[in-house]
Coordinates of all heavy atoms in Angstrom, one line a residue:
F155 N -11.5 -8.7 -15.5 CA -12.2 -9.8 -14.9 C -12.0 -9.8 -13.4 O -12.9 -10.2 -12.7 CB -11.7 -11.1 -15.5 CG -12.4 -12.4 -15.1 CD1 -13.7 -12.6 -15.6 CD2 -11.9 -13.2 -14.1 CE1 -14.4 -13.8 -15.1 CE2 -12.6 -14.3 -13.7 CZ -13.8 -14.6 -14.2
L168 N -22.9 -8.1 0.5 CA -23.9 -7.1 0.8 C -25.3 -7.8 0.9 O -26.1 -7.5 1.9 CB -24.0 -6.0 -0.2 CG -25.0 -4.9 0.0 CD1 -24.8 -4.2 1.3 CD2 -25.0 -4.0 -1.2
L178 N -32.9 -11.3 11.4 CA -32.6 -11.1 12.8 C -33.6 -10.0 13.4 O -34.1 -10.1 14.5 CB -31.2 -10.6 13.0 CG -30.1 -11.7 12.8 CD1 -28.7 -11.1 12.9 CD2 -30.2 -12.8 13.7
G186 N -39.4 -9.4 21.2 CA -39.7 -8.2 22.0 C -41.1 -8.2 22.4 O -41.5 -7.8 23.5
T248 N -38.0 0.4 19.0 CA -38.8 0.6 20.2 C -40.2 0.0 20.0 O -40.9 0.4 19.1 CB -38.8 2.1 20.6 OG1 -37.5 2.6 20.8 CG2 -39.6 2.3 21.9
A258 N -59.9 -0.3 31.9 CA -59.1 0.8 32.4 C -57.6 0.6 32.0 O -57.1 -0.6 32.0 CB -59.2 0.9 33.9
S262 N -48.2 1.6 30.6 CA -47.7 1.2 29.3 C -46.2 0.8 29.5 O -45.6 1.3 30.5 CB -47.8 2.3 28.3 OG -47.0 3.4 28.7
W280 N -18.8 -15.3 9.3 CA -17.5 -15.3 8.7 C -17.1 -16.6 7.9 O -16.4 -16.5 7.0 CB -16.5 -15.1 9.9 CG -16.3 -16.3 10.9 CD1 -17.0 -16.4 12.0 CD2 -15.5 -17.4 10.7 NE1 -16.6 -17.5 12.7 CE2 -15.7 -18.2 11.9 CE3 -14.6 -17.9 9.8 CZ2 -15.1 -19.4 12.1 CZ3 -13.9 -19.1 10.0 CH2 -14.2 -19.8 11.2
A296 N -8.6 -19.5 -12.0 CA -8.9 -20.5 -13.1 C -9.1 -19.8 -14.4 O -8.7 -20.3 -15.5 CB -10.2 -21.2 -12.7
I308 N -1.7 -17.9 -31.0 CA -0.6 -17.0 -31.1 C 0.0 -17.1 -32.5 O 0.4 -16.1 -33.2 CB 0.5 -17.3 -30.0 CG1 -0.1 -17.0 -28.6 CG2 1.8 -16.5 -30.3 CD1 0.8 -17.4 -27.5
S312 N 0.3 -14.2 -35.4 CA 1.5 -13.8 -36.1 C 1.4 -13.9 -37.6 O 1.9 -13.0 -38.3 CB 2.7 -14.7 -35.6 OG 2.8 -14.7 -34.2
H341 N -4.8 -8.2 -29.0 CA -3.6 -7.7 -28.4 C -3.1 -6.5 -29.2 O -3.4 -6.4 -30.4 CB -2.5 -8.8 -28.4 CG -2.8 -9.8 -27.4 ND1 -2.6 -9.6 -26.1 CD2 -3.2 -11.1 -27.5 CE1 -2.9 -10.7 -25.4 NE2 -3.3 -11.6 -26.3
H362 N 16.1 15.7 -22.5 CA 17.5 15.7 -22.1 C 18.2 16.9 -22.7 O 19.0 17.6 -22.1 CB 18.1 14.4 -22.5 CG 19.6 14.3 -22.1 ND1 20.0 14.3 -20.8 CD2 20.7 14.3 -22.9 CE1 21.3 14.2 -20.8 NE2 21.8 14.2 -22.1
V397 N 1.3 31.2 19.9 CA 2.2 30.5 20.7 C 3.6 30.8 20.4 O 4.0 30.7 19.2 CB 2.0 29.0 20.7 CG1 2.9 28.3 21.6 CG2 0.5 28.7 21.0
M414 N -9.0 16.2 29.1 CA -10.0 16.1 28.0 C -10.7 14.8 28.0 O -10.1 13.8 28.3 CB -9.4 16.3 26.7 CG -9.0 17.8 26.3 SD -8.5 17.9 24.6 CE -8.2 19.7 24.6
R424 N -24.8 14.9 23.2 CA -26.1 14.3 23.0 C -26.9 14.1 24.2 O -28.1 13.7 24.2 CB -26.0 13.1 22.1 CG -25.4 13.3 20.8 CD -25.5 12.0 19.9 NE -25.0 12.2 18.6 CZ -23.8 11.9 18.2 NH1 -23.0 11.3 19.0 NH2 -23.4 12.1 16.9
Q439 N -15.8 17.7 41.0 CA -15.5 17.3 42.4 C -14.3 16.5 42.6 O -13.4 16.7 43.4 CB -16.8 16.7 43.0 CG -16.6 16.3 44.5 CD -17.8 15.6 45.0 OE1 -18.7 15.3 44.3 NE2 -17.8 15.4 46.3
V457 N 4.4 24.3 45.9 CA 3.5 24.3 44.8 C 2.1 24.6 45.2 O 1.6 24.1 46.2 CB 3.5 23.0 44.0 CG1 2.6 23.0 42.8 CG2 4.9 22.7 43.5
H480 N 12.8 26.0 44.4 CA 13.0 24.6 44.7 C 11.7 23.8 44.5 O 11.7 22.6 44.6 CB 13.5 24.4 46.1 CG 14.8 25.0 46.4 ND1 16.0 24.6 45.8 CD2 15.1 26.1 47.2 CE1 17.0 25.4 46.2 NE2 16.5 26.3 47.0
D503 N -15.2 2.7 34.9 CA -15.5 1.2 34.9 C -16.7 0.9 35.8 O -17.5 0.1 35.4 CB -14.2 0.5 35.5 CG -13.1 0.5 34.5 OD1 -13.3 0.9 33.4 OD2 -11.9 0.2 35.0
E537 N -6.7 7.6 27.9 CA -6.0 7.3 29.2 C -4.5 7.5 29.0 O -3.7 6.9 29.7 CB -6.3 5.9 29.6 CG -7.7 5.6 30.0 CD -8.0 4.2 30.4 OE1 -7.0 3.4 30.4 OE2 -9.2 3.9 30.7
N559 N 9.1 9.1 23.5 CA 8.7 10.1 22.5 C 7.5 9.7 21.6 O 7.2 8.5 21.6 CB 9.9 10.3 21.5 CG 11.1 10.9 22.2 OD1 11.0 11.7 23.1 ND2 12.3 10.5 21.9
D587 N -2.2 6.0 47.4 CA -2.7 6.5 48.7 C -3.5 7.7 48.6 O -4.6 7.8 49.2 CB -1.5 6.7 49.6 CG -0.7 5.5 50.0 OD1 -1.3 4.4 49.9 OD2 0.5 5.6 50.4

Side-chain angles (χ1 to χ4, degrees):
F155 186 76
L168 178 62
L178 291 175
T248 300
S262 64
W280 68 266
I308 295 172
S312 300
H341 288 288
H362 181 66
V397 180
M414 282 191 181
R424 296 189 178 96
Q439 181 183 5
V457 178
H480 301 290
D503 293 346
E537 297 177 0
N559 294 325
D587 292 339

